[in-house]
Amino acid sequence: MEAIAKPQKGETIFVSSASGAVGQMVIGLAHRAGCKVIACAGTDEKVKILRDTFKVEHAFNYKTTDIQDYLSKHDYTMYWDSVAGPTLEAVLATIQNRGRIVGCGGQLHDSRSFLSANHRH
């Protein structure tokens, strides 16, 4: 993350699948760099752990929250993508100009099938 995203103090990063081992590592690296974190997980219990244990500034349950609506209310310049699909679509619609996206994980290999024609380059 540090080599590719180059996080800077004061920036905000969105981490998908944040309650997993990789997500937890990314949260730690982001906080160490002085960044704020937006995180999502699939249960309210995991969201609570992200807030209480990992001190994530903003966390939500992606199964019960409209992802694009939630992200549109927050300024962020980095995205750690572990899931692709609709989450990536929401990020492409809401990430700040000149934002950085770091992809990690096997699901990303099929991400082109999820992207609308508007986002293919």
Side-chain angles (χ1 to χ4, degrees):
M1 181 183 102
E2 293 169 338
I4 296 170
K6 298 182 179 12
Q8 301 296 312
K9 185 176 182 175
E11 287 188 299
T12 300
I13 183 171
F14 169 44
V15 181
S16 61
S17 194
S19 63
V22 173
Q24 292 174 24
M25 181 232 15
V26 173
I27 291 167
L29 291 172
H31 279 155
R32 186 174 79 185
C35 297
K36 294 179 183 174
V37 177
I38 303 168
C40 69
T43 69
D44 291 339
E45 180 182 352
K46 290 177 181 178
V47 168
K48 184 174 177 8
I49 291 168
L50 289 169
R51 287 186 182 131
D52 296 346
T53 303
F54 294 98
K55 306 301 181 200
V56 168
E57 289 78 5
H58 304 281
F60 66 96
N61 181 334
Y62 68 86
K63 292 180 180 177
T64 60
T65 303
D66 181 297
I67 300 168
Q68 186 167 332
D69 182 59
Y70 188 92
L71 291 175
S72 70
K73 297 173 183 167
H74 300 276
D75 291 336
Y76 65 102
T77 54
M78 293 176 285
Y79 172 48
W80 182 272
D81 187 4
S82 297
V83 296
T87 304
L88 180 57
E89 286 273 354
V91 167
L92 292 172
T94 59
I95 194 167
Q96 297 296 299
N97 289 335
R98 305 182 72 66
R100 288 103 60 209
I101 298 172
V102 178
C104 171
Q107 291 185 22
L108 298 177
H109 292 287
D110 295 326
S111 65
R112 285 186 172 203
S113 64
F114 291 106
L115 294 176
S116 69
N118 295 343
H119 298 301
R120 289 190 185 148
H121 298 282

